[in-house]
Amino acid sequence: MRGIHVFDTYAGAALELFMLGLLDAEGLRSAAHGDLEEFGEINVVDFASNEVFETRRMELLRDIREVNAAIRAAELRKRSDSMASSSGAHAYPSTPQEATPAAA
């Protein structure tokens, strides 16, 4: 990770850390949840204008969508890897017994 990275939200920053392998899925989920909670506590009138509020809200929703997609993809990879390793699947049969179809 070189240079300067600018983020619109804490969820976006956490996503970058997750993609770099510096944060696990639970940490990403926790950061995104906290970001949503904190944003929800800010009163709309505390923003400079309704347009600023709406812009910040859209940035947060965009980053939350990306977080959700990244977590889903990671869970699918994890399940796929787990199924492949537990099934003992081989590209080709390694024994004559594996090459012979089982009797029905």
Side-chain angles (χ1 to χ4, degrees):
M1 182 172 183
R2 299 196 83 143
I4 297 171
H5 296 259
V6 178
F7 304 98
D8 293 318
T9 68
Y10 288 123
L15 179 59
E16 182 69 21
L17 292 173
F18 175 75
M19 300 303 273
L20 292 170
L22 301 172
L23 188 65
D24 65 9
E26 188 54 40
L28 176 57
R29 188 177 285 117
S30 178
H33 180 77
D35 202 1
L36 279 170
E37 290 282 319
E38 287 185 22
F39 188 84
E41 293 173 3
I42 302 171
N43 197 327
V44 175
V45 297
D46 292 338
F47 288 86
S49 68
N50 284 338
E51 291 81 17
V52 171
F53 167 77
E54 191 60 27
T55 299
R56 298 294 89 82
R57 187 177 77 82
M58 295 307 291
E59 290 167 350
L60 177 58
L61 293 176
R62 176 204 62 215
D63 287 353
I64 293 298
R65 278 192 301 273
E66 291 177 12
V67 163
N68 287 337
I71 290 172
R72 276 193 300 274
E75 288 173 350
L76 287 173
R77 275 192 309 277
K78 191 175 182 180
R79 258 188 248 136
S80 177
D81 291 347
S82 174
M83 288 172 53
S85 67
S86 67
S87 71
H90 303 284
Y92 298 101
S94 60
T95 66
Q97 291 81 13
E98 287 179 357
T100 307

